[in-house]
Amino acid sequence: YDRYNTKLMHRDKFNSLTLAEKADIVFQKDSFIDTREYYNQSINLYLVHGFYVEVWYNSTENKIVAISLPETKELSLYNSPINLSGLL
């Protein structure tokens, strides 16, 4: 069962979802790529339906505080090689 019709998922549709719905999709596919730190937050990068997604986890609050689509320039902050060919 595909509650969000993820086969037709695109960036705009993903952006319009709630935090809980985004988490559902990201962790359903679990295509983890890399992580980076920003102050007291861990930012985990995933590949979901052909686009990159950042999951912001606040370790102080012990919760996910945001799930967003990174700008191309933010992808350079990760150590893993990132394929940008489909994003430009």
Side-chain angles (χ1 to χ4, degrees), residues 1-3 8 13 16 21-22 36-38 42 44-45 55 57 62 66 76 79 82 85-86:
Y1 175 66
D2 187 358
R3 171 167 67 171
L8 300 174
K13 183 175 179 181
S16 71
E21 291 169 333
K22 290 175 184 176
R36 65 184 176 97
E37 299 295 320
Y38 182 77
S42 295
N44 295 322
L45 184 68
V55 176
Y57 175 78
N62 193 29
S76 66
N79 291 322
I82 306 292
S85 62

Side-chain angles (χ1 to χ4, degrees), residues 11-25:
R11 295 172 58 90
D12 292 336
K13 183 175 179 181
F14 185 84
N15 263 341
S16 71
L17 299 174
T18 67
L19 181 66
E21 291 169 333
K22 290 175 184 176
D24 224 13
I25 291 170

